[in-house]
Each structure stands twice: as structure tokens, then as C-alpha cells.
Amino acid sequence: MQVASAGIRANSDINKYSELHFKIMNDMNIDTSEFKRTQFDNEAFLKYDIIIGMSELHKEFVKNEYNKDIHLFNELYKEQNTSINIGAPDREDFEEKMRELIQYFIDAIPEVMSNLKHIHPLGITPSMNREKEDQR
């Protein structure tokens, strides 16, 4: 299995999360030395079988720009169509929320990996099927 990261705003300077995010991950002995910012583009659909977004913003961006559906992380983890949200970087408790978020991902990965095995060959999860049925 290969995992990669790409952002819809990777080429911008508005990402105030990165510096603290990497500091916390390094404090937790997570190696980030190979990480590089990568802009999300159409190549992702050719390279990867499954695209996972963190928020509705990501899901909407991909739908609007590429006319493709992607999975949300929480959809694969808890079968919930909910976004990952930690709030604004200028909040007083931002560092604590970022630590909790990283731990959330660490705790979720085994279940997400297991759930990925049950995805339909076309990449449709049970909740995506429900959404399509609801739209009819």
C-alpha cells in the first residue's frame, strides 16, 4: 500500500497549520523528513485507487474541479459524512487540538485500513450509496 498527501492549497502561504503540525508529529516520533508540499491535481486519479479528503471543502473542490467523488476520512473511519475540523490557528487551544487530531488519526488508521478492504471496486462506500439513493 502506498499513501501520499496532496493539498488543494499546497502552493499557497495560507497554511498556518504546517509548522506546528510537523513539530508535534516530530515530538511524537513520527518521521516527517520525506514530506514535501504537493498540489492536488488530476494525476492523483491516475496514480491512486482511492482519494480521501479531510473535509467537505475537499470533497466539493474535487467534485467541482474534476467531476469526481472522493471519500471523507470520517466516512471510511466511522461511516459518518463529517469533516475533520480543528479550528483556526489563532485559537488559544490550537496546539492542544492539533495534538488531539494527530492522535485521532493514529487511533483511526487500523480501522480505516480494515474498512478500505470492504470498499466496492468502483470506490463506493455504503454511505456514498445511501447518498445517491437519497438524491433519487
Side-chain angles (χ1 to χ4, degrees):
M1 175 173 293
Q2 180 182 10
V3 177
S5 172
I8 62 173
R9 292 183 236 162
N11 294 329
S12 71
D13 288 332
I14 66 169
N15 191 346
K16 298 178 183 178
Y17 300 99
S18 291
E19 189 175 312
L20 178 60
H21 192 195
F22 290 114
K23 176 193 173 303
I24 292 169
M25 286 192 297
N26 290 327
D27 289 349
M28 298 172 82
N29 295 317
I30 299 170
D31 182 11
T32 61
S33 62
E34 300 288 321
F35 180 81
K36 65 177 183 149
R37 288 181 128 191
T38 304
Q39 181 67 34
F40 185 88
D41 60 24
N42 200 49
E43 284 290 310
F45 297 103
L46 302 173
K47 290 171 129 176
Y48 304 105
D49 296 323
I50 298 170
I51 308 293
I52 302 171
M54 297 295 124
S55 71
E56 281 295 325
L57 174 70
H58 300 145
K59 197 170 187 171
E60 290 170 12
F61 173 85
V62 171
K63 187 66 172 177
N64 291 337
E65 293 292 316
Y66 305 101
N67 197 30
K68 301 213 185 255
D69 293 317
I70 64 169
H71 304 278
L72 288 179
F73 186 86
N74 281 337
E75 186 176 14
L76 295 171
Y77 179 33
K78 298 181 175 184
E79 288 196 30
Q80 296 176 353
N81 195 20
T82 58
S83 298
I84 300 290
N85 186 357
I86 62 166
D90 57 351
R91 284 184 45 161
E92 193 173 300
D93 63 346
F94 182 72
E95 183 170 350
E96 178 185 339
K97 294 295 183 192
M98 182 65 79
R99 286 185 187 281
E100 290 171 5
L101 177 64
I102 293 167
Q103 190 61 54
Y104 179 80
F105 287 128
I106 291 169
D107 294 342
I109 292 302
E111 190 162 342
V112 169
M113 297 297 290
S114 176
N115 291 342
L116 283 171
K117 294 175 188 172
H118 304 293
I119 290 181
H120 185 278
L122 296 176
I124 300 171
T125 63
S127 60
M128 289 176 94
N129 279 330
R130 284 191 297 271
E131 286 175 15
K132 287 181 181 176
E133 288 172 4
D134 290 345
Q135 291 174 358
R136 291 181 189 166

